[in-house]
Amino acid sequence: MHRTYSMRATRAPTASQIQNPPPPQSTTKSGRFFRGGIGHALRRNAAGAFGPDLAKKLSQLVKMEKNVMRSLELVARERMEVAQQLSIWGEGCDEDVSDVTDKLGVLLYEIGELEDQYVDRYDQYRVTMKSIRNIEASVQPSRDRKQKITDQIAQLKYKEPNSPKIVVLEQELVRAEAESLVAEAQLSNITREKVKAAYTYQFDALREHCEKVAIIAGYGKHLLELIDDTPVTPGETRAAYDGYEASKAIIQDCEDSLTNWVTQNAAVSSKLSTRARKLSQRRRNNIKHRGEQGHDLSGQDAPLNDQDSWLPAGQHKEEGYDDVEQDEEEDEDDIDEPRHSILHNGDGLSGEDRGRPQDSIIA
């Protein structure tokens, strides 16, 4: 009697996935020991307590974003469980309520899966921001070396103004300043490039997620129209429900809309005011003009070979920096209990199981 049409049961790639292939699974979807507030606080506080001063703030941001992703994972998982429970509850109701709640469970489950996919795309943003943090950590030794030489020169000039070491140190300072200049320029260039790329990932993922959720919400309201909410008098019998084919068609239409959605067909667009458009265009023109009139500085970003002043982030342990989050899987606060996904748990939900006895529907 109860039939659940599982959305995208074959899991064929959508138009959006063909245009923009999905990223690897998020690094946060791994076994972990700490959950909830304790794990969140540990990650946030640990990130700000270690590492070079230059990278501390961004390390903390990256950890806080990891907390956001863990929360999104929880929301996605519980959304799917809610979808199952709605279907179970509706099974004992009248036929129209039973059928509609069953189909609403399908839509809510799909929202949970979209949220799970959103976490993977969100991780692209976070990993890109981590790359800026690693560059910041690599720049710190060049700053420290320059400052150390400067302090040594000042100390010698105060204690031994005629010391021959001053000349040697001043020559070293010139080299250190040149190396630092290259490092700072490289950091500046990479920061701008990565910030734009990172937030492009985030906003593109957010836009797709919100548009698809809005699509599902619209079809969910169409399903609600199939419920006859006309009041009846005691003893009166409602007309037999004849909306099974209609509810199935609505689900199929929703599936088609989600499958065919691409960014170019997004319903919501952000339109700038005349003033904002002019100011933005002026800024873009200024950038373009400077690029045309500037010098080719691409060679300045070549890696430095002087190991005394320029070390990769992973080699700073002797300086007191143990790259708190070099890889999320290696964090001390990532040793959480294994994640049991209801997508793959035999006792949980799957694309075909929403919690009710069901007959397969042949589309």
Side-chain angles (χ1 to χ4, degrees), residues 106-117:
V106 174
L107 297 185
L108 292 177
Y109 190 91
E110 182 67 15
I111 292 177
E113 291 191 332
L114 288 176
E115 288 169 338
D116 192 67
Q117 295 168 16

Side-chain angles (χ1 to χ4, degrees), residues 63 74 186 242 247 317:
K63 283 292 188 178
L74 179 62
Q186 185 178 20
D242 59 356
S247 65
K317 296 182 180 180

Side-chain angles (χ1 to χ4, degrees), residues 51-349:
D53 293 338
L54 184 60
K56 281 184 178 179
K57 292 180 179 179
L58 189 52
S59 292
Q60 194 160 10
L61 171 65
V62 170
K63 283 292 188 178
M64 293 170 71
E65 288 290 13
K66 185 171 185 178
N67 291 343
V68 171
M69 292 175 60
R70 288 281 170 83
S71 299
L72 291 172
E73 284 182 58
L74 179 62
V75 170
R77 184 164 58 250
E78 294 193 346
R79 180 93 66 185
M80 298 176 194
E81 294 172 355
V82 165
Q84 181 188 37
Q85 191 61 32
L86 175 63
S87 182
I88 293 173
W89 167 77
E91 186 175 5
C93 299
D94 294 338
E95 287 191 352
D96 55 348
V97 175
S98 177
D99 181 53
V100 170
T101 54
D102 197 24
K103 299 303 189 293
L104 289 176
V106 174
L107 297 185
L108 292 177
Y109 190 91
E110 182 67 15
I111 292 177
E113 291 191 332
L114 288 176
E115 288 169 338
D116 192 67
Q117 295 168 16
Y118 174 62
V119 172
D120 295 336
R121 294 194 177 277
Y122 198 91
D123 196 40
Q124 285 186 295
Y125 145 76
R126 194 181 68 91
V127 169
T128 305
M129 294 300 290
K130 283 175 62 176
S131 66
I132 303 177
R133 181 209 62 187
N134 295 339
I135 295 296
E136 287 182 342
S138 297
V139 169
Q140 187 69 53
S142 66
R143 287 188 178 185
D144 294 343
R145 181 168 182 257
K146 184 178 70 172
Q147 186 60 46
K148 180 180 179 181
I149 296 174
T150 301
D151 293 342
Q152 288 176 340
I153 292 174
Q155 187 178 19
L156 280 175
K157 286 184 176 179
Y158 177 75
K159 292 184 177 180
E160 304 177 45
N162 299 322
S163 174
K165 292 183 179 179
I166 294 178
V167 176
V168 176
L169 289 174
E170 286 178 342
Q171 293 175 347
E172 290 186 14
L173 180 60
V174 171
R175 289 194 295 270
E177 288 177 340
E179 294 168 358
S180 179
L181 188 64
V182 172
E184 297 290 347
Q186 185 178 20
L187 174 62
S188 177
N189 294 340
I190 291 178
T191 297
R192 284 162 171 76
E193 175 190 351
K194 296 295 185 180
V195 165
K196 293 181 72 173
Y199 280 93
T200 296
Y201 286 137
Q202 181 177 152
F203 291 139
D204 284 348
L206 186 62
R207 186 180 191 183
E208 178 176 351
H209 177 71
C210 292
E211 287 262 349
K212 289 186 175 180
V213 169
I215 290 172
I216 292 175
Y219 284 101
K221 294 190 69 174
H222 286 304
L223 280 174
L224 294 177
E225 296 298 325
L226 301 179
I227 296 178
D228 181 7
D229 59 350
T230 305
V232 296
T233 59
E236 182 181 356
T237 303
R238 292 189 184 274
Y241 177 63
D242 59 356
Y244 287 109
E245 289 301 318
S247 65
K248 172 187 171 182
I250 291 173
I251 293 294
Q252 289 175 325
D253 287 348
C254 183
E255 174 188 353
D256 292 340
S257 296
L258 293 175
T259 300
N260 297 324
W261 186 94
V262 289
T263 304
Q264 291 81 353
N265 298 335
V268 179
S269 60
S270 52
K271 296 182 179 179
L272 296 177
S273 65
T274 302
R275 178 174 180 273
R277 188 164 55 251
K278 287 182 178 179
L279 292 174
S280 298
Q281 187 61 47
R282 182 188 304 172
R283 170 64 178 168
R284 289 194 293 269
N285 290 340
N286 290 340
I287 293 174
K288 182 179 179 182
H289 178 72
R290 284 197 293 270
E292 293 173 349
Q293 300 297 323
H295 301 282
D296 182 9
L297 300 179
S298 58
Q300 72 177 4
D301 288 343
L304 295 176
N305 296 321
D306 186 356
Q307 294 298 317
D308 295 332
S309 61
W310 185 261
L311 298 177
Q315 298 181 17
H316 297 161
K317 296 182 180 180
E318 66 275 9
E319 309 246 354
Y321 178 50
D322 191 8
D323 195 2
V324 179
E325 195 197 25
Q326 183 63 34
D327 195 334
E328 300 301 342
E329 295 86 342
E330 298 176 0
D331 283 355
E332 71 280 356
D333 45 38
D334 277 6
I335 315 174
D336 297 350
E337 65 188 43
R339 176 178 184 269
H340 299 289
S341 171
I342 58 178
L343 293 172
H344 306 291
N345 191 338
D347 298 330
L349 296 174

